[in-house]
């Protein structure tokens, strides 16, 4: 492990409940590749449909896990110049083993080591609920995106004015965020002029799946 990677791992310890790096190889191999969660899940289909508006775009998959998104892009011919980033070295190693020669990098979505506007589109799928909060990560995704940001929540946003920060008995944050606070954050902090929200995407493990798509 390089000095840069060691310093990165020390930094990550500050993020509570970060247990991803304790996973074994078998768990990583099967992760998100079931029929329901894999390439044909409704939210992944919708993401590919949105990406169809940006043919040839550079895309940062900002918490790529074992690269199931890339598998779907290859299978269905989605034309993007893909880079996968993840904070867990084992996820990156496994993704690289599946897709040799493809661009993968170790990185933290809450402080992306890239310049402003480095990618046409940034995707944050099934990650904001697992962070202490989405604010830092969303600011970073928005900063490094030149054209658009796609956010896919697996826990439906709630209709109250409260972000529910919880681990719900697991080792991971599974936060349920306030819809109105999230949309205010888009408008008032990020100054997003318009966004689209796709809900009720169909049956999945998490039937509450929803997507926010915002252009810059
Ligand atoms: C539920 S998985 C989602 C994987 C992928 N986005 C997908 O939907 O197929 C969450 C991933 O986020 C990664 N992760 C956790 N904290 C992160 C952080 N701060 N920055 C980047 N990736 C992170 C984990 O290692 C894990 O691979």
């Amino acid at each position: 492990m390089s000095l840069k990677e060691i310093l990165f791992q020390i930094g990550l310890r500050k993020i509570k409940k970060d247990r991803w790096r304790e996973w074994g190889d078998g768990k990583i191999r099967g992760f998100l590749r079931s029929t329901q969660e894999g390439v044909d899940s409704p939210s992944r289909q919708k993401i590919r449909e949105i990406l169809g508006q940006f043919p040839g775009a550079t895309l940062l998959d900002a918490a790529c896990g074992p690269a199931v998104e890339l598998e779907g892009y290859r299978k269905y011919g989605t034309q993007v110049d893909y880079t996968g980033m993840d904070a867990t070295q084992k996820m990156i190693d496994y993704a690289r083993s599946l897709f040799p020669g493809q661009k993968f990098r170790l990185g933290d979505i809450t402080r992306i080591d890239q310049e402003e506007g480095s990618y046409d589109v940034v995707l944050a799928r099934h990650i904001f609920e697992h962070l202490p909060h989405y604010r830092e990560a969303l600011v970073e995704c928005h900063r490094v995106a030149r054209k658009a940001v796609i956010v896919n929540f697996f826990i439906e946003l709630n209709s109250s004015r409260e972000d529910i920060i919880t681990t719900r008995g697991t080792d991971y944050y599974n936060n349920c965020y306030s819809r109105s606070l999230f949309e205010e954050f888009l408008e008032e902090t990020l100054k997003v002029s318009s966004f689209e929200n796709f809900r009720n995407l169909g049956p999945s493990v998490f039937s509450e799946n929803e997507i926010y798509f915002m252009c810059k």
Side-chain angles (χ1 to χ4, degrees), residues 173-184:
Y173 284 105
N174 282 305
N175 300 337
C176 178
Y177 297 111
S178 155
R179 181 177 303 286
S180 56
L181 292 180
F182 181 74
E183 295 189 356
E184 279 171 28

Side-chain angles (χ1 to χ4, degrees), residues 12 15 18 20 31-32 44 61-66 68-69 85-88 91 107-110 125-127 130-131:
L12 263 191
I15 301 175
D18 169 38
W20 305 96
F31 185 45
L32 302 175
R44 295 191 195 276
D61 185 3
C64 65
V68 180
E69 276 299 292
M85 182 182 88
D86 201 279
T88 307
M91 294 285 180
D108 179 355
I109 195 172
T110 66
R125 183 178 189 276
H126 291 200
I127 177 63
H130 289 316
L131 299 173

Side-chain angles (χ1 to χ4, degrees), residues 134-158:
Y134 59 75
R135 287 186 211 95
E136 279 179 300
L138 184 51
V139 166
E140 282 293 87
C141 291
H142 189 255
R143 181 182 65 78
V144 300
R146 192 160 37 236
K147 296 182 179 168
V149 179
I150 303 168
V151 177
N152 182 188
F153 288 101
F154 64 89
I155 298 175
E156 183 179 29
L157 301 185
N158 73 61

